[in-house]
Structures are given as structure tokens and as C-alpha cells.
Amino acid sequence: MAEKRRTAQQLYVRNSMQGQEIAALLDVSEKTISKWKIADNWDRQRAAMVTTKPQELQRMYAQLSELNTAIEQRDPGKRYANSLEADVINKLASAIKKLEDETGLSATVNAFIAFIDWLRKKDLDKAKEFGELADHYIKHLAS
């Protein structure tokens, strides 16, 4: 059953399959898939796979730009951030810096996928073993 659970997770996270499709394919109930999905936080893992670091940075820069544009359009002498806006600017700047300085979860997942694919061609048993460890590590990072 553990192998089915890992396969179901991969189909959901990497292949964007729906729960009922996975249930039919693996011959388990949709309720079981739903329990695994919630327990292992598959939605967060899927989001990490599809949300890339550049996309997230672009979104934050766009928010910062929109806020600055709104401030610049005010009457002369009033073109400064109020305390709420200043707080948002600081938080966005901090989040941008953190994201630019860190390797995101999606980059880690992609590196593991590439490595496991390479290892699978060399040694299938080691690839399975490493895949299980990588899954545990990614769940740790996502929690």
C-alpha cells in the first residue's frame, strides 16, 4: 500500500491527475486518495511544482510597482507612503530579498526529480531508496 501511496502522490503532484483518475488507475477508493492527499499535503507540493521562483518574484515586483505608482499619482507634497503602505513595502521588499537569496522548494523538487531519473538508469533499487528519502525531505521542507 505504501508503494501505491507514493505512486498516487507522484501522479497527483507531478502529473496533475485528479483523485478519481488516480483511484481508478491504482484500484483504491477515492476516499483513500483524499485521505492521503490531505495527510501528505499534496496540494502544497503541487503548488510548489507549478509556482516557479521567477513567477513569484514577478508577482511581488508587480505588487510593489503598483503600490509605488499609486503613491506617485498623488498630489505634490502627498507623494509618500502612509504607515500601512510603508509596512507593505517593507514586507514585500523583505519577501523579495528572501526569495532571491534562497533556493525555493520547487527548485529542490526539480533537482531531486532530475537526479532520481538519472539514478534510475544506473541503479533502480538505489533510485527507489533515494526517492523515498527525497519525498520525506520535501515533506519536511513543506511543513
Side-chain angles (χ1 to χ4, degrees):
M1 202 59 149
E3 184 65 32
K4 282 188 178 187
R5 187 173 184 156
R6 274 192 300 281
T7 301
Q9 175 192 15
Q10 291 174 354
L11 292 171
Y12 185 84
V13 173
R14 296 180 187 160
N15 297 48
S16 297
M17 289 179 70
Q18 297 301 313
Q20 64 188 138
E21 296 173 289
I22 298 168
L25 185 66
L26 299 178
D27 196 29
V28 296
S29 71
E30 288 182 48
K31 188 174 181 178
T32 297
I33 296 295
S34 180
K35 286 180 182 179
W36 291 346
K37 178 182 157 188
I38 293 166
D40 297 340
N41 209 352
W42 292 358
D43 285 325
R44 186 171 180 181
Q45 294 173 36
R46 181 188 270 181
M49 290 290 290
V50 297
T51 303
T52 65
K53 182 177 173 178
Q55 288 172 325
E56 192 63 20
L57 280 169
Q58 182 180 10
R59 186 183 65 79
M60 286 190 276
Y61 276 121
Q63 290 173 352
L64 189 57
S65 176
E66 190 171 323
L67 181 56
N68 284 328
T69 298
I71 292 168
E72 290 169 357
Q73 292 175 351
R74 294 182 185 150
D75 292 333
K78 296 182 181 179
R79 294 181 183 152
Y80 53 88
N82 62 35
S83 61
L84 179 60
E85 292 166 334
D87 187 47
V88 170
I89 289 169
N90 280 333
K91 287 179 180 176
L92 279 171
S94 175
I96 289 168
K97 180 175 179 4
K98 183 177 180 184
L99 194 56
E100 286 178 336
D101 291 347
E102 290 181 356
T103 300
L105 182 59
S106 64
T108 302
V109 170
N110 289 332
F112 277 135
I113 290 169
F115 179 75
I116 292 167
D117 286 345
W118 172 83
L119 186 58
R120 188 176 292 120
K121 295 171 190 168
K122 307 286 183 195
D123 187 330
L124 184 58
D125 290 332
K126 283 186 181 176
K128 287 179 182 179
E129 182 182 347
F130 186 84
E132 290 177 27
L133 292 170
D135 282 346
H136 290 297
Y137 180 70
I138 290 166
K139 286 175 190 172
H140 167 75
L141 292 177
S143 62

